[in-house]
Amino acid sequence: FSKALLRSEQHWERRRELWVRQYAQVKDLNMRREIIADLLEDCSNDTKRLLGPIMKYSITTTVLGNMVERAVHFEKDLEEILEEPANQD
Protein backbone atom coordinates (compact mmCIF):
# COMPACT_ATOMS: atom_id res chain seq x y z
CA PHE A 1 0.00 0.00 0.00
CA SER A 2 2.81 2.43 0.84
CA LYS A 3 4.43 1.92 -2.61
CA ALA A 4 1.15 2.81 -4.30
CA LEU A 5 0.75 5.86 -2.10
CA LEU A 6 4.33 6.97 -2.81
CA ARG A 7 3.80 6.55 -6.57
CA SER A 8 0.60 8.53 -6.34
CA GLU A 9 2.34 11.33 -4.44
CA GLN A 10 5.18 11.38 -6.96
CA HIS A 11 2.68 11.47 -9.82
CA TRP A 12 0.83 14.44 -8.36
CA GLU A 13 4.10 16.22 -7.54
CA ARG A 14 5.20 15.88 -11.19
CA ARG A 15 1.80 17.11 -12.34
CA ARG A 16 2.00 20.10 -9.98
CA GLU A 17 5.48 20.99 -11.30
CA LEU A 18 4.16 20.79 -14.85
CA TRP A 19 1.21 23.04 -13.97
CA VAL A 20 3.54 25.57 -12.37
CA ARG A 21 5.74 25.65 -15.49
CA GLN A 22 2.71 26.02 -17.76
CA TYR A 23 1.35 28.82 -15.60
CA ALA A 24 4.71 30.63 -15.78
CA GLN A 25 4.71 30.28 -19.57
CA VAL A 26 1.18 31.66 -19.84
CA LYS A 27 2.08 34.63 -17.61
CA ASP A 28 5.20 35.32 -19.72
CA LEU A 29 3.25 35.17 -22.99
CA ASN A 30 0.53 37.43 -21.61
CA MET A 31 3.14 39.95 -20.48
CA ARG A 32 4.82 39.88 -23.91
CA ARG A 33 1.46 40.29 -25.64
CA GLU A 34 0.66 43.29 -23.43
CA ILE A 35 4.02 44.92 -24.15
CA ILE A 36 3.55 44.37 -27.88
CA ALA A 37 0.03 45.81 -27.77
CA ASP A 38 1.30 48.91 -25.94
CA LEU A 39 4.08 49.41 -28.49
CA LEU A 40 1.67 48.93 -31.39
CA GLU A 41 -0.41 51.83 -30.08
CA ASP A 42 2.42 54.12 -31.22
CA CYS A 43 2.41 52.66 -34.75
CA SER A 44 0.46 53.93 -37.73
CA ASN A 45 -3.19 53.04 -38.26
CA ASP A 46 -2.28 50.93 -41.30
CA THR A 47 0.11 48.84 -39.21
CA LYS A 48 -2.47 48.38 -36.46
CA ARG A 49 -5.14 47.49 -39.01
CA LEU A 50 -2.87 44.83 -40.55
CA LEU A 51 -1.65 43.30 -37.30
CA GLY A 52 -4.79 43.57 -35.16
CA PRO A 53 -6.72 40.63 -36.64
CA ILE A 54 -3.73 38.26 -36.54
CA MET A 55 -2.54 39.07 -33.01
CA LYS A 56 -4.50 36.05 -31.78
CA TYR A 57 -1.98 33.70 -33.42
CA SER A 58 1.07 32.73 -31.40
CA ILE A 59 3.39 32.97 -34.42
CA THR A 60 2.46 36.65 -34.74
CA THR A 61 3.27 37.25 -31.08
CA THR A 62 6.56 35.39 -31.49
CA VAL A 63 7.64 37.34 -34.58
CA LEU A 64 6.60 40.68 -33.07
CA GLY A 65 8.37 39.76 -29.83
CA ASN A 66 11.54 39.17 -31.82
CA MET A 67 11.07 42.52 -33.55
CA VAL A 68 10.63 44.22 -30.17
CA GLU A 69 13.91 42.66 -29.00
CA ARG A 70 15.58 43.85 -32.21
CA ALA A 71 14.18 47.36 -31.69
CA VAL A 72 15.59 47.44 -28.16
CA HIS A 73 18.95 46.11 -29.36
CA PHE A 74 19.28 48.71 -32.14
CA GLU A 75 17.67 51.44 -29.99
CA LYS A 76 14.89 52.08 -32.50
CA ASP A 77 11.12 52.31 -32.26
CA LEU A 78 9.09 49.21 -33.10
CA GLU A 79 7.48 51.13 -35.96
CA GLU A 80 10.90 51.72 -37.55
CA ILE A 81 11.72 48.03 -37.33
CA LEU A 82 8.33 47.03 -38.77
CA GLU A 83 8.70 49.40 -41.70
CA GLU A 84 12.18 48.23 -42.71
CA PRO A 85 12.00 46.72 -46.23
CA ALA A 86 13.55 43.43 -45.02
CA ASN A 87 10.64 42.94 -42.57
CA GLN A 88 7.87 43.62 -45.02
CA ASP A 89 8.28 40.44 -47.08
Side-chain angles (χ1 to χ4, degrees), residues 3 5 7 13 21 30 39 43 61 63 65 67 69 74:
K3 279 186 179 181
L5 184 61
R7 278 190 222 134
E13 182 62 26
R21 281 196 311 266
N30 286 342
L39 291 172
C43 293
T61 306
V63 170
M67 288 185 173
E69 289 174 11
F74 291 114

Side-chain angles (χ1 to χ4, degrees), residues 63-80:
V63 170
L64 286 175
N66 292 340
M67 288 185 173
V68 167
E69 289 174 11
R70 195 176 324 152
V72 169
H73 178 73
F74 291 114
E75 298 178 356
K76 293 184 174 182
D77 290 335
L78 178 61
E79 186 173 12
E80 293 177 57

Side-chain angles (χ1 to χ4, degrees), residues 11-26:
H11 167 77
W12 287 111
E13 182 62 26
R14 284 193 304 269
R15 294 291 299 165
R16 189 187 67 74
E17 289 170 2
L18 176 65
W19 293 331
V20 168
R21 281 196 311 266
Q22 289 173 338
Y23 178 69
Q25 284 179 325
V26 167

